[in-house]
Amino acid sequence: MNDTANQRILLTEADCFLRALEKRHINHTGLSTNICHYLLELEGRLDAEEFRRKINLNKDVLWLASLSSAKSHPLAIPEWQKTKSITTIPVLVHDSDELIPEAIINRTMHDDESHICCDVVYRSNGDSALIFSWHHLLMDGYGVILLLRQLASDAASPLHHILDTNQKERLRLLQLANATRAKFFVDRISRKPLSSIAPVQPINNQNQKIRVIRFTPEETSLFDKIGPSLGAPFGRSPVYLASAARGVYALLKSKNIPIHDLWIPVPKDQRKKGSDGPLLGNHLSFLFYRLKAGELNSLENTVRSINHQMVDQIKSKMSRDYDLLMKYLRRTPTPLYYFWIKGPQGGSLSSFLFTTAADHPDEFRVFAGHAIKDAWSFPSSIYPPGLNFAFMRFRNKLHIMIMYFEEVISESDAEQLEKQFRTDLLGTLQ
């Protein structure tokens, strides 16, 4: 086993952000689960009993599943501590042709339970799915892909690259001015009024649903041309975000909800490209977008606005300064941290949630001797706002996942959102 028992392991900046949400936002409503899922569609029948036996021989996975965060005093940086005696990783078996059964989507993980759980779902055609579920505070989606790749050949083998070995704080007093600048920037561009998909009256039903949208490799290869043609040469994310924002905008209009600006913080990966670790922790920061109603009348206008804001935050070094702010905030007492996240006027954290998940690695093709036919990464959905869009690719096929609470949008609303994506992404190619 890796020598981790006596190490002092600090939470990352993004971990501290998620911890504040967990303590003051998610636990307050009791509706969100903050559980993520990574699904591997496998060819043939995975031996669930053998997988259960092997993963429960893996002391590193058991150690990860037993971790909780704690502060030694209010101004301390939270640390990971082994506070639970977890002796078993649950491996549950289902028979279903649903991509991911709703019982798994709505699963909770309490503090005294394992923060990792696996499900094996047997399909009627003889194939199977392995669903790896984990508490979001423990790892990000990229880390879970790295973990699954290590488990693929032998689930009992020791894990590598679990920890961040470069955790020293390197903050100087002069950097406080830069961090303060970022705080004022976020306050300014997130000022009210803003539109949110979350209903005015609090919801009571915690049931969550997922709608998935699949695109062919041919369609997906054409999407790469959309961004540059619309004035966004730096990746696909601005096009995806633009289409999601336009879908929410159309949904708000159809419900006769007053339209204000949309406000969307978007995660950005802080790892070096091609990194093989660490597994533990979330290694993310954020970019911020405020979209006016007049910018949502066409995909081109929306993409142009997003790209302009992204470039401006990078060129002005505001993105760098926000990274510094997150470092400084690690020592902030949780109630104050949450107050700063929410702002003095409160309300939803975002008009809706959005992420571009890590693509499934092309070279990760086999798990436990079974060919991987497909893969899906489902982030957690937090209420409010209660609507989350995630985009990823599996072997040149774009997957879109819409996670939502039943009382936030309906199934027909989700269908309308899918139509908007297909209109934007396919209609532009006509």
Side-chain angles (χ1 to χ4, degrees):
M1 182 180 178
N2 288 272
D3 185 18
T4 55
N6 298 316
Q7 293 193 47
R8 182 170 179 251
I9 308 167
L10 303 178
L11 271 66
T12 68
E13 295 84 350
D15 292 342
C16 294
F17 176 89
L18 291 169
R19 185 178 186 272
L21 287 186
E22 177 81 16
K23 300 290 185 183
R24 310 291 296 191
H25 186 92
I26 294 171
N27 290 348
H28 176 70
T29 65
L31 296 172
S32 310
T33 60
N34 213 17
I35 308 303
C36 307
H37 315 276
Y38 201 91
L39 186 153
L40 297 174
E41 285 282 2
L42 304 175
E43 191 174 279
R45 189 176 177 88
L46 177 69
D47 188 331
E49 190 56 42
E50 177 66 6
F51 178 74
R52 179 186 292 113
R53 184 184 72 82
K54 285 193 170 183
I55 198 170
N56 280 293
L57 291 174
N58 194 314
K59 294 181 180 179
D60 293 331
V61 178
L62 287 169
W63 178 79
L64 285 170
S66 71
L67 293 178
S68 294
S69 65
K71 273 176 169 271
S72 57
H73 58 83
L75 295 178
I77 297 175
E79 299 179 33
W80 288 112
Q81 297 181 356
K82 187 178 183 299
T83 56
K84 302 185 293 292
S85 298
I86 301 300
T87 58
T88 304
I89 303 293
V91 179
L92 309 176
V93 178
H94 315 257
D95 291 289
S96 176
D97 286 329
E98 284 185 272
L99 180 63
I100 178 168
E102 283 194 27
I104 298 174
I105 299 169
N106 289 287
R107 174 179 294 146
T108 58
M109 290 181 181
H110 300 292
D111 287 344
D112 59 345
E113 296 176 331
S114 170
H115 280 180
I116 293 173
C117 180
C118 298
D119 295 88
V120 176
V121 183
Y122 291 124
R123 310 302 195 189
S124 60
N125 66 355
D127 290 338
S128 52
L130 173 66
I131 303 174
F132 186 95
S133 303
W134 74 99
H135 194 286
H136 192 2
L137 190 57
L138 199 62
M139 290 178 280
D140 55 32
Y142 189 88
V144 165
I145 292 175
L146 296 174
L147 187 151
L148 287 171
R149 291 183 69 175
Q150 293 191 44
L151 297 178
S153 56
D154 184 358
S157 296
L159 301 178
H160 305 286
H161 308 291
I162 298 176
L163 303 180
D164 183 358
T165 57
N166 185 26
Q167 285 208 327
K168 293 182 180 178
E169 287 188 273
R170 295 189 178 92
L171 292 175
R172 301 187 300 273
L173 187 59
L174 289 175
Q175 293 175 316
L176 181 59
N178 298 89
T180 304
R181 174 176 174 253
K183 176 66 172 72
F184 285 129
F185 166 76
V186 174
D187 285 347
R188 175 171 55 81
I189 66 170
S190 63
R191 66 187 182 278
K192 302 297 176 73
L194 297 169
S195 290
S196 173
I197 195 66
V200 175
Q201 297 299 322
I203 67 172
N204 299 305
N205 185 350
Q206 65 180 13
N207 195 49
Q208 298 182 57
K209 288 182 171 290
I210 291 175
R211 187 179 189 91
V212 298
I213 309 172
R214 299 173 170 90
F215 292 96
T216 67
E218 294 75 22
E219 291 168 337
T220 303
S221 66
L222 291 172
F223 296 160
D224 289 336
K225 302 175 183 177
I226 296 177
S229 71
L230 297 177
F234 307 112
R236 317 157 187 152
S237 184
V239 177
Y240 298 159
L241 176 57
S243 189
R246 279 169 43 77
V248 170
Y249 171 66
L251 206 57
L252 293 172
K253 285 180 65 178
S254 71
K255 296 176 179 292
N256 295 316
I257 296 174
I259 305 296
H260 303 293
D261 294 353
L262 299 182
W263 158 249
I264 314 104
V266 174
K268 64 170 184 173
D269 191 358
Q270 295 289 78
R271 284 185 173 87
K272 292 182 179 179
K273 191 172 183 179
S275 171
D276 54 9
L279 305 185
L280 178 63
N282 291 264
H283 300 269
L284 308 165
S285 186
F286 295 92
L287 291 167
F288 301 92
Y289 300 98
R290 186 179 182 114
L291 299 174
K292 302 181 186 304
E295 297 169 337
L296 296 165
N297 55 11
S298 75
L299 183 65
E300 182 176 7
N301 287 341
T302 313
V303 170
R304 186 183 296 116
S305 175
I306 291 167
N307 187 67
H308 173 77
Q309 292 181 60
M310 177 181 68
V311 171
D312 184 65
Q313 289 177 55
I314 294 170
K315 280 189 173 181
S316 67
K317 296 186 169 55
M318 190 60 73
S319 177
R320 177 210 62 184
D321 290 349
Y322 184 78
D323 296 345
L324 288 172
L325 176 63
M326 290 190 74
K327 286 181 182 293
Y328 274 103
L329 287 178
R330 287 205 293 173
R331 290 191 179 276
T332 305
T334 302
L336 181 57
Y337 196 144
Y338 182 67
F339 174 78
W340 282 350
I341 293 171
K342 294 278 282 185
Q345 295 177 325
S348 182
L349 295 164
S350 178
S351 295
F352 58 87
L353 301 176
F354 172 92
T355 187
T356 302
D359 295 339
H360 184 85
D362 286 341
E363 64 275 14
F364 184 17
R365 292 177 172 266
V366 178
F367 189 93
H370 298 267
I372 298 173
K373 298 167 53 182
D374 209 341
W376 299 80
S377 181
F378 299 100
S380 62
S381 189
I382 297 173
Y383 170 83
L387 174 64
N388 194 352
F389 300 98
F391 295 71
M392 69 168 287
R393 290 193 182 196
F394 175 83
R395 293 185 202 159
N396 300 317
K397 293 184 295 185
L398 174 63
H399 293 339
I400 302 177
M401 292 138 283
I402 306 173
M403 284 73 64
Y404 61 95
F405 285 75
E406 275 187 321
E407 285 189 37
V408 173
I409 69 169
S410 65
E411 194 168 335
S412 62
D413 292 335
E415 184 178 352
Q416 180 181 329
L417 289 169
E418 177 174 349
K419 288 178 180 177
Q420 183 69 53
F421 282 124
R422 293 193 178 277
T423 298
D424 277 348
L425 297 178
L426 295 177
T428 307
L429 302 171
Q430 301 300 320

